[in-house]
Short mmCIF file of all heavy atoms in Angstrom, two decimals:
data_model
loop_
_atom_site.label_atom_id
_atom_site.label_comp_id
_atom_site.label_asym_id
_atom_site.label_seq_id
_atom_site.Cartn_x
_atom_site.Cartn_y
_atom_site.Cartn_z
N LEU A 6 123.20 94.40 40.20
CA LEU A 6 124.05 93.57 39.25
C LEU A 6 124.08 92.19 39.80
O LEU A 6 124.46 91.98 40.96
CB LEU A 6 125.43 94.12 39.09
CG LEU A 6 125.60 95.63 38.83
CD1 LEU A 6 127.08 95.95 38.79
CD2 LEU A 6 124.96 95.95 37.50
N LYS A 7 123.71 91.16 39.03
CA LYS A 7 123.92 89.80 39.39
C LYS A 7 125.36 89.43 38.98
O LYS A 7 125.71 89.59 37.81
CB LYS A 7 122.93 88.89 38.63
CG LYS A 7 121.65 88.64 39.38
CD LYS A 7 121.89 87.97 40.69
CE LYS A 7 120.69 87.30 41.20
NZ LYS A 7 120.78 86.96 42.59
N ILE A 8 126.17 89.03 39.95
CA ILE A 8 127.60 88.77 39.67
C ILE A 8 127.94 87.41 40.12
O ILE A 8 127.74 86.96 41.28
CB ILE A 8 128.48 89.85 40.50
CG1 ILE A 8 128.08 91.28 40.01
CG2 ILE A 8 129.92 89.59 40.23
CD1 ILE A 8 128.70 92.34 40.81
N ASP A 9 128.57 86.66 39.23
CA ASP A 9 129.07 85.31 39.53
C ASP A 9 130.57 85.43 39.82
O ASP A 9 131.31 86.10 39.12
CB ASP A 9 128.83 84.38 38.33
CG ASP A 9 129.22 82.96 38.62
OD1 ASP A 9 128.94 82.47 39.75
OD2 ASP A 9 129.83 82.30 37.76
N GLY A 10 131.00 84.69 40.82
CA GLY A 10 132.43 84.60 41.14
C GLY A 10 132.87 85.22 42.45
O GLY A 10 134.04 85.05 42.87
N MET A 11 131.99 85.97 43.08
CA MET A 11 132.35 86.47 44.44
C MET A 11 132.29 85.37 45.41
O MET A 11 131.30 84.64 45.51
CB MET A 11 131.45 87.60 44.86
CG MET A 11 131.58 88.89 44.09
SD MET A 11 130.67 90.30 44.81
CE MET A 11 129.00 89.79 44.70
N LYS A 12 133.37 85.18 46.24
CA LYS A 12 133.43 84.06 47.18
C LYS A 12 133.57 84.48 48.62
O LYS A 12 133.33 83.67 49.53
CB LYS A 12 134.62 83.16 46.81
CG LYS A 12 134.66 82.63 45.39
CD LYS A 12 133.53 81.63 45.19
CE LYS A 12 133.64 81.08 43.80
NZ LYS A 12 132.39 80.46 43.35
N CYS A 13 133.92 85.73 48.92
CA CYS A 13 134.12 86.16 50.29
C CYS A 13 133.94 87.67 50.45
O CYS A 13 133.61 88.37 49.49
CB CYS A 13 135.54 85.78 50.69
SG CYS A 13 136.85 86.69 49.75
N GLY A 14 134.15 88.12 51.64
CA GLY A 14 134.02 89.56 51.92
C GLY A 14 135.03 90.44 51.16
O GLY A 14 134.69 91.57 50.85
N MET A 15 136.16 89.94 50.90
CA MET A 15 137.17 90.74 50.13
C MET A 15 136.68 90.91 48.67
O MET A 15 136.87 91.91 48.10
CB MET A 15 138.54 90.09 50.20
CG MET A 15 139.24 90.22 51.48
SD MET A 15 139.42 91.96 52.00
CE MET A 15 140.42 92.59 50.75
N CYS A 16 136.02 89.86 48.13
CA CYS A 16 135.46 90.01 46.80
C CYS A 16 134.40 91.09 46.75
O CYS A 16 134.36 91.93 45.87
CB CYS A 16 134.86 88.68 46.35
SG CYS A 16 135.98 87.34 46.14
N GLU A 17 133.59 91.16 47.83
CA GLU A 17 132.58 92.17 47.97
C GLU A 17 133.22 93.52 47.99
O GLU A 17 132.78 94.44 47.30
CB GLU A 17 131.76 91.99 49.24
CG GLU A 17 130.93 90.74 49.29
CD GLU A 17 130.34 90.44 50.65
OE1 GLU A 17 130.60 91.19 51.63
OE2 GLU A 17 129.58 89.42 50.74
N ALA A 18 134.31 93.71 48.78
CA ALA A 18 134.97 94.95 48.90
C ALA A 18 135.56 95.40 47.58
O ALA A 18 135.51 96.55 47.24
CB ALA A 18 136.09 94.81 49.96
N HIS A 19 136.16 94.45 46.84
CA HIS A 19 136.71 94.80 45.51
C HIS A 19 135.67 95.33 44.59
O HIS A 19 135.84 96.31 43.89
CB HIS A 19 137.41 93.64 44.88
CG HIS A 19 138.69 93.18 45.55
ND1 HIS A 19 139.01 91.94 45.75
CD2 HIS A 19 139.70 94.00 46.02
CE1 HIS A 19 140.23 91.93 46.41
NE2 HIS A 19 140.67 93.11 46.58
N VAL A 20 134.51 94.65 44.54
CA VAL A 20 133.41 95.07 43.65
C VAL A 20 132.91 96.48 44.09
O VAL A 20 132.67 97.38 43.23
CB VAL A 20 132.25 94.04 43.67
CG1 VAL A 20 131.00 94.57 42.99
CG2 VAL A 20 132.72 92.76 43.00
N CYS A 21 132.75 96.67 45.37
CA CYS A 21 132.27 98.03 45.88
C CYS A 21 133.28 99.08 45.47
O CYS A 21 132.92 100.18 45.11
CB CYS A 21 132.08 97.96 47.33
SG CYS A 21 130.62 97.03 47.88
N ASP A 22 134.57 98.78 45.64
CA ASP A 22 135.62 99.74 45.24
C ASP A 22 135.52 100.13 43.76
O ASP A 22 135.68 101.29 43.41
CB ASP A 22 137.00 99.21 45.61
CG ASP A 22 137.31 99.19 47.07
OD1 ASP A 22 136.57 99.87 47.83
OD2 ASP A 22 138.28 98.49 47.49
N ILE A 23 135.37 99.13 42.95
CA ILE A 23 135.23 99.39 41.50
C ILE A 23 134.06 100.32 41.21
O ILE A 23 134.20 101.25 40.45
CB ILE A 23 135.07 98.07 40.72
CG1 ILE A 23 136.36 97.23 40.76
CG2 ILE A 23 134.63 98.29 39.27
CD1 ILE A 23 136.22 95.80 40.28
N ILE A 24 132.95 100.06 41.84
CA ILE A 24 131.74 100.90 41.62
C ILE A 24 132.04 102.30 42.13
O ILE A 24 131.80 103.25 41.33
CB ILE A 24 130.51 100.32 42.36
CG1 ILE A 24 130.14 98.94 41.75
CG2 ILE A 24 129.34 101.26 42.32
CD1 ILE A 24 129.14 98.13 42.56
N ARG A 25 132.54 102.47 43.29
CA ARG A 25 132.80 103.80 43.84
C ARG A 25 133.83 104.61 43.02
O ARG A 25 133.73 105.83 42.95
CB ARG A 25 133.24 103.68 45.30
CG ARG A 25 132.15 103.29 46.26
CD ARG A 25 132.65 103.38 47.67
NE ARG A 25 131.64 102.81 48.58
CZ ARG A 25 131.72 101.63 49.15
NH1 ARG A 25 132.78 100.86 49.00
NH2 ARG A 25 130.74 101.23 49.94
N LYS A 26 134.83 103.94 42.47
CA LYS A 26 135.86 104.57 41.77
C LYS A 26 135.47 105.06 40.33
O LYS A 26 136.06 105.94 39.76
CB LYS A 26 137.14 103.77 41.68
CG LYS A 26 137.86 103.62 42.97
CD LYS A 26 139.05 102.71 42.84
CE LYS A 26 139.71 102.56 44.23
NZ LYS A 26 140.82 101.60 44.19
N ASN A 27 134.44 104.42 39.83
CA ASN A 27 134.03 104.68 38.37
C ASN A 27 132.84 105.54 38.19
O ASN A 27 132.63 106.11 37.16
CB ASN A 27 133.91 103.37 37.63
CG ASN A 27 135.22 102.71 37.38
OD1 ASN A 27 136.01 103.15 36.51
ND2 ASN A 27 135.59 101.68 38.15
N ILE A 28 131.93 105.61 39.20
CA ILE A 28 130.72 106.41 39.13
C ILE A 28 130.41 107.04 40.46
O ILE A 28 130.91 106.52 41.52
CB ILE A 28 129.52 105.59 38.57
CG1 ILE A 28 129.34 104.36 39.44
CG2 ILE A 28 129.63 105.25 37.16
CD1 ILE A 28 128.09 103.53 39.05
N GLU A 29 129.65 108.08 40.47
CA GLU A 29 129.27 108.70 41.75
C GLU A 29 127.98 108.07 42.22
O GLU A 29 126.86 108.50 42.01
CB GLU A 29 129.01 110.21 41.48
CG GLU A 29 130.31 110.95 41.21
CD GLU A 29 130.07 112.43 41.11
OE1 GLU A 29 129.18 112.99 41.82
OE2 GLU A 29 130.72 113.10 40.30
N ALA A 30 128.19 106.97 42.94
CA ALA A 30 127.07 106.13 43.40
C ALA A 30 126.86 106.29 44.90
O ALA A 30 127.83 106.58 45.64
CB ALA A 30 127.35 104.62 43.08
N LYS A 31 125.65 106.04 45.36
CA LYS A 31 125.34 106.05 46.77
C LYS A 31 124.82 104.64 47.11
O LYS A 31 124.51 103.87 46.24
CB LYS A 31 124.15 107.03 47.03
CG LYS A 31 124.46 108.51 46.75
CD LYS A 31 123.19 109.30 47.02
CE LYS A 31 123.46 110.75 46.67
NZ LYS A 31 122.23 111.54 46.87
#
Side-chain angles (χ1 to χ4, degrees):
L6 310 177
K7 271 299 201 195
I8 301 172
D9 184 42
M11 291 191 295
K12 304 292 182 196
C13 64
M15 285 305 296
C16 295
E17 296 170 356
H19 288 138
V20 169
C21 288
D22 287 345
I23 290 168
I24 294 168
R25 287 186 187 106
K26 288 179 182 175
N27 287 285
I28 53 177
E29 292 185 32
K31 298 178 182 178

